[in-house]
Amino acid sequence: MATLEEVIGPYLNDLSDNEKQTYHALIEHQEDIPNLSLAQMAERIYTSKSSLLRFIQKLGFKGVSDFKYSLDWSLPYAEAGQVDFDLGETVQGIDSMLTKGLLMDFNELVKSSSTIYLCASSESQYILMELFSYLLLKKGYPSSRLRISSASELTTAVFKRLSSQSLVVFFSANAKSSAVREALCSLKKREISTMLITEHSSEGLKGEVKLLLAMNFPGHLSGISSLRLGLSSLFINRLVEKAL
């Protein structure tokens, strides 16, 4: 599950001062959020119910329940030592996700593309994008990297350079970002190949991209914020090494 920090990434520069205060207040009280109603939440962070609801919907959530239960509200430095973690078993689990068909599709997409563009919309996803770019370059496939905060920004920076042989790879924690979803939709209309690397899969996403790579880690591991980036990095490393 994504954290609020990961979801807010694409919107951070567009937030008003009041919305930024709301964001920081939610982070301050994050461990209590799942147990609070809209009224209690608004009272806790000193804002009105209507303002808080508008903020939640601006982030792409349908309402308070969607907001509370779609995000990981665990504290960012939870003790990983309390988790039953076996590296060998974790690698085996990742390898089992990387089926022969998925690896072949990945191989074909990368090798048939004349240009590869990588796009990320939050800090943690940007780190994964940099790792992916480095691994591709080691295999002889250079790429261009872009951090986006809006679909229009992607349009301005990339669309003019795209061709039918281009591949655009998106890194998104849960693909709730409107910038990512709008860009995927626009690229699909132009018949540009896209790949989405995300933490969680959904039936709705499968029809929007050429290849969906979902890192569906076991719940007891993905629930620890401090482990997620490492697990995602391991997934990407195994993907590129096995496919190319």
Side-chain angles (χ1 to χ4, degrees):
M1 299 176 72
T3 63
L4 180 59
E5 292 97 325
E6 291 168 335
V7 171
I8 205 103
Y11 306 93
L12 196 54
N13 294 332
D14 298 326
L15 297 181
S16 66
D17 290 341
N18 287 337
E19 288 171 333
K20 288 179 181 177
Q21 289 178 6
T22 297
Y23 163 58
H24 290 300
L26 287 169
I27 292 297
E28 184 178 347
H29 297 282
Q30 63 178 330
E31 60 182 320
D32 300 321
I33 296 300
N35 302 315
L36 301 177
S37 65
L38 175 64
Q40 291 170 327
M41 212 183 300
E43 183 179 1
R44 184 72 61 91
I45 64 174
Y46 302 103
T47 190
S48 67
K49 291 190 295 183
S50 58
S51 295
L52 179 56
L53 184 58
R54 282 197 300 272
F55 176 76
I56 288 171
Q57 292 173 336
K58 182 174 183 175
L59 299 182
F61 297 97
K62 296 178 181 178
V64 179
S65 295
D66 186 28
F67 176 67
K68 290 198 299 182
Y69 301 121
S70 295
L71 294 177
D72 173 17
W73 296 102
S74 60
L75 294 177
Y77 301 107
E79 290 294 331
Q82 298 176 0
V83 179
D84 181 16
F85 178 76
D86 183 285
L87 180 58
E89 290 183 3
T90 302
V91 172
Q92 289 180 359
I94 289 174
D95 285 348
S96 69
M97 298 180 205
L98 301 173
T99 63
K100 183 178 180 179
L102 185 148
L103 293 173
M104 289 178 62
D105 289 343
F106 179 85
N107 179 291
E108 182 181 348
L109 265 180
V110 170
K111 290 187 175 181
S112 63
S113 301
S114 59
T115 53
I116 302 175
Y117 293 93
L118 311 180
C119 302
S121 56
S122 70
E123 193 64 40
S124 62
Q125 300 304 305
Y126 193 78
I127 293 171
L128 295 177
M129 181 180 73
E130 290 288 342
L131 171 63
F132 188 76
S133 175
Y134 168 72
L135 294 172
L136 284 183
L137 187 59
K138 281 181 62 179
K139 297 290 185 177
Y141 300 97
S143 59
S144 298
R145 301 179 303 283
L146 178 69
R147 184 168 184 169
I148 62 171
S149 60
S150 66
S152 59
E153 182 180 345
L154 177 64
T155 301
T156 302
V158 173
F159 276 13
K160 293 179 180 178
R161 302 197 296 268
L162 292 178
S163 70
S164 58
Q165 282 75 47
S166 297
L167 170 64
V168 184
V169 183
F170 291 90
F171 295 80
S172 180
N174 61 1
K176 277 186 175 291
S177 162
S178 60
V180 173
R181 300 301 285 266
E182 290 171 17
L184 286 173
C185 182
S186 297
L187 292 170
K188 183 179 179 180
K189 290 179 180 177
R190 289 191 56 193
E191 299 184 345
I192 303 295
S193 294
T194 56
M195 184 187 303
L196 174 63
I197 300 178
T198 182
E199 289 185 15
H200 298 285
S201 177
S202 74
E203 291 300 320
L205 289 174
K206 291 179 181 178
E208 297 181 20
V209 294
K210 186 78 171 181
L211 181 61
L212 174 64
L213 296 168
M215 301 176 282
N216 295 311
F217 300 119
H220 74 292
L221 296 180
S222 61
I224 303 298
S225 299
S226 56
L227 286 180
R228 281 205 311 274
L229 184 58
L231 289 169
S232 300
S233 299
L234 184 57
F235 178 94
I236 287 172
N237 201 308
R238 298 296 289 177
L239 166 68
V240 176
E241 289 301 318
K242 289 172 71 70
L244 297 177

